[in-house]
Amino acid sequence: MTSSPARPRTGAVSTVSVASAPCPVVVLDTDGRIAELNDVAGTLLPTARVGRPLSSPRWLAAADRTRPAPVSGTVGDRSFSAHPSVAAGGRTVWWLMEETAYRSAMGELEAERGRTRFLTEASSALLASLNLDRCMEVTARLATEHLADAALVIAPTAARTLPVVACDHRGELTRSTVSEAPDSVPGLAEALRGFPPVPSRWVDPASAPDWLIPADFGEVGSLVITPLPGHGVPAGALILLRRAQQDAFSEAEESLAGLFAARAGAAMSAARLYAEQNSISDTLMRELLPPTLRQTEGVEFAGGYRASKDTERVGGDFYDVHPPGEDSPETLVVLGDVAGKGLEAAVLTGRIRNTLHALLPMAGDHARMLRLVNNAMRTSHHTRFATLVLASVRREEHEVVLRLTSAGHPAPLIIRRDGTVEEADTGGTLIGVLPAITSRTAQVRLAPGETCLLFTDGVTEARGGPLGDTMFGDQRLKRAAAECAGMPAEAVVERVQMVTSQWIGDGRHDDIAVLAITAPRGAHLGAVDGANRGRYTA
């Protein structure tokens, strides 16, 4: 009789003997010789003989006989664990429990965990960037590291050349364009077309064109093309290559490649969509940004704009300078302030600017222009209102003549050469609220070196100062303007912006727009009708 592994080392009598045990049992003496083994063990270990040392399996033969402990290993293609129990005379009874199915299940579970980890890491890496080129590079690199010896990512394009990102067997990334048609590679055109959905396609490596094989790659053993599905649109194709020495793709690996392609395609599709939307936003933003001002018709113009948030580029304040044309002999300057902030206010400023641009032939009658703009705003779905100031500018000899009309806007400041600051005598009702508006136009003449300063209430209502909540106010603005006497237009704008920013500090503020119209000092030395920047004599 021999104790079973369920009651090891107890020495108690068991009803299970070596001969009757349902599992392989081998009894070894203190010298490692086989003292006894049952029929099941004899079948499993055909070379084992009673009285001879146990030589196979080596993991069991090498087990510690002085302090036996469970060991495990394989016998052929089967897996076993051996559990010891001590018998009389110092013998060790090894009970072999087959674990082939268990270990196979554990191996498959570990492989599945590995695939899940890879897909999780791939998702994180792919979603880390919304740049299409970066997504293509990450896709090619991950595919080479986890799925194949080399990988190519091809993006669909309307151009005649295909953008290709390749990662070779050394892990080196290369970007190129291929002028060959997708039809030159079997299955590539269908993968790039994306509809109807197609499965992965195995391609005979011998039929692959040279541009598909990385340099020094060697003989290709297997090649598969997998579509990269996007969000309703094709995102491209993933081409995986393995060398001839490597095993072909198994069904599980092909399935994993499909799951990876789905994630890569979604990331590339999102990146392409983001790039398209970003391009549209940039185009629209350029139309909303304040223009770059320069000397026009011998008059200096300079402007400065600061949105209410540093992260924004446009807002509710705006200005434009329209040079003279066939129907408008004077330069028309517009500075306005739409109620509200951010993109919605910026969109309305764009509409007002376009309306004023269309009304340029009527620039000789400011009141009429403002009435038409008021009518246009009241018939729109917007509930916002705006304030405006119009300035028609022309040069007469060395002086500049202005017609200034305000529509609910702060009156422009006239900065004389002696430092005196005057408010232009203009006023009116704001735009977009009342069915009828009124306005009063002021006539102003600027001598050389004098400036007309247009600004929005973002300057005077800027809160800051020592207590952090005091408005900048009209008087501080006038004192700052007085310090700008005789300065060029650009210097006046920079000075007003600087003192305002210093007053605000890190506090919140509204949109700020400043525009200066300055009669140049001295004679213009420009060569093209005074319309270029040129220079002026002192």
Side-chain angles (χ1 to χ4, degrees):
M1 292 296 182
T2 305
S3 61
S4 73
R7 302 180 63 185
R9 304 180 186 179
T10 62
V13 177
S14 171
T15 58
V16 179
S17 66
V18 172
S20 63
C23 62
V25 180
V26 179
V27 182
L28 300 180
D29 60 17
T30 55
D31 296 329
R33 296 177 183 277
I34 300 174
E36 187 180 359
L37 75 165
N38 62 1
D39 294 341
V40 183
T43 302
L44 178 66
L45 309 173
T47 60
R49 296 289 185 274
V50 174
R52 294 183 180 179
L54 179 65
S55 59
S56 178
R58 297 191 63 81
W59 55 271
L60 180 58
D64 191 349
R65 291 189 293 273
T66 58
R67 300 181 63 183
V71 293
S72 61
T74 60
V75 179
D77 57 352
R78 302 165 65 185
S79 298
F80 290 87
S81 63
H83 300 267
S85 62
V86 179
R91 294 178 177 181
T92 303
V93 183
W94 291 98
W95 308 78
L96 277 66
M97 305 296 177
E98 185 167 3
E99 298 179 342
T100 303
Y102 168 75
R103 293 189 180 280
S104 176
M106 291 299 295
E108 183 59 31
L109 177 61
E110 184 59 32
E112 186 61 31
R113 287 174 175 169
R115 290 191 286 268
T116 302
R117 281 196 299 271
F118 162 59
L119 292 175
T120 302
E121 294 172 2
S123 297
S124 300
L126 289 167
L127 295 177
S129 173
L130 284 175
N131 181 281
L132 178 59
D133 293 341
R134 177 62 178 160
C135 283
M136 292 177 67
E137 293 177 356
V138 171
T139 300
R141 180 177 56 78
L142 290 175
T144 301
E145 292 177 353
H146 298 274
L147 299 175
D149 294 319
L152 291 87
V153 179
I154 303 176
T157 177
R160 294 184 177 181
T161 56
L162 294 173
V164 179
V165 173
C167 185
D168 63 14
H169 52 290
R170 296 178 292 266
E172 296 180 357
L173 286 167
T174 56
R175 300 186 59 83
S176 62
T177 55
V178 177
S179 58
E180 292 192 26
D183 294 336
S184 62
V185 181
L188 179 58
E190 292 84 351
L192 292 176
R193 194 177 302 123
F195 187 85
V198 294
S200 298
R201 177 165 178 175
W202 293 93
V203 177
D204 181 6
S207 65
D210 293 339
W211 63 267
L212 212 60
I213 313 300
D216 303 327
F217 185 76
E219 184 182 358
V220 180
S222 53
L223 190 154
V224 61
I225 299 177
T226 301
L228 295 171
H231 297 295
V233 294
L238 173 65
I239 300 179
L240 303 175
L241 302 96
R242 280 188 175 176
R243 292 174 166 176
Q245 300 83 357
Q246 301 294 323
D247 295 334
F249 291 89
S250 66
E251 185 177 350
E253 290 173 329
E254 187 176 340
S255 176
L256 178 62
L259 294 173
F260 170 72
R263 285 160 173 75
M268 290 175 57
S269 180
R272 180 177 286 107
L273 180 62
Y274 175 78
E276 292 174 354
Q277 292 180 342
N278 199 37
S279 176
I280 294 173
S281 298
D282 281 346
T283 301
L284 297 176
M285 190 70 70
R286 282 197 296 271
E287 294 298 317
L288 297 176
L289 289 174
T292 301
L293 304 185
R294 60 184 179 86
Q295 290 181 359
T296 303
E297 298 292 321
V299 180
E300 293 182 8
F301 296 94
Y305 181 81
R306 181 180 178 183
S308 58
K309 295 180 180 178
D310 293 337
T311 54
E312 295 179 347
R313 300 170 61 191
V314 296
D317 289 3
F318 65 96
Y319 58 77
D320 275 315
V321 173
H322 302 281
E326 183 178 358
D327 299 320
S328 53
E330 299 171 304
T331 299
L332 180 66
V333 178
V334 182
L335 184 139
D337 181 0
V338 172
K341 306 174 185 176
L343 183 60
E344 189 174 351
V347 171
L348 185 54
T349 65
R351 181 169 181 170
I352 295 174
R353 292 168 69 181
N354 290 335
T355 303
L356 287 167
H357 191 271
L359 296 176
L360 281 181
M362 305 175 187
D365 187 346
H366 287 182
R368 186 183 180 191
M369 286 188 77
L370 293 174
R371 286 197 302 272
L372 293 174
V373 175
N374 182 62
N375 293 337
M377 287 189 65
R378 293 189 68 248
T379 55
S380 72
H381 66 280
H382 292 286
T383 58
R384 298 172 183 268
F385 59 87
T387 63
L388 292 173
V389 60
L390 305 180
S392 291
V393 185
R394 71 176 187 277
R395 179 156 183 167
E396 289 185 358
E397 299 299 335
H398 298 295
E399 294 185 337
V400 172
V401 180
L402 301 173
R403 287 189 297 115
L404 297 168
T405 306
S406 169
H409 201 84
L413 299 180
I414 310 302
I415 307 172
R416 300 301 183 186
R417 281 189 295 185
D418 60 0
T420 304
V421 177
E422 308 167 358
E423 285 189 6
D425 183 20
T426 179
T429 51
L430 50 81
I431 301 296
V433 178
L434 302 175
I437 63 171
T438 60
S439 61
R440 184 175 69 258
T441 300
Q443 301 283 342
V444 175
R445 298 185 75 89
L446 300 178
E450 295 182 341
T451 296
C452 174
L453 181 66
L454 283 61
F455 57 94
T456 58
D457 58 9
V459 176
T460 55
E461 296 180 1
R463 292 185 178 275
L467 300 179
D469 195 35
T470 305
M471 288 200 299
F472 188 68
D474 296 332
Q475 296 305 315
R476 288 188 180 85
L477 176 59
K478 289 180 179 178
R479 286 198 292 272
E483 297 171 355
C484 300
M487 290 184 178
E490 290 186 3
V492 174
V493 170
E494 290 179 3
R495 174 66 180 170
V496 172
Q497 285 185 308
M498 183 187 72
V499 295
T500 307
S501 298
Q502 289 176 343
W503 183 260
I504 295 172
D506 296 331
R508 293 183 299 175
H509 60 86
D510 200 350
D511 298 324
I512 294 175
V514 181
L515 190 146
I517 306 169
T518 300
R521 298 165 64 92
H524 187 247
L525 298 179
V528 187
D529 300 331
N532 60 348
R533 286 183 174 274
R535 293 184 296 111
Y536 287 83
T537 60

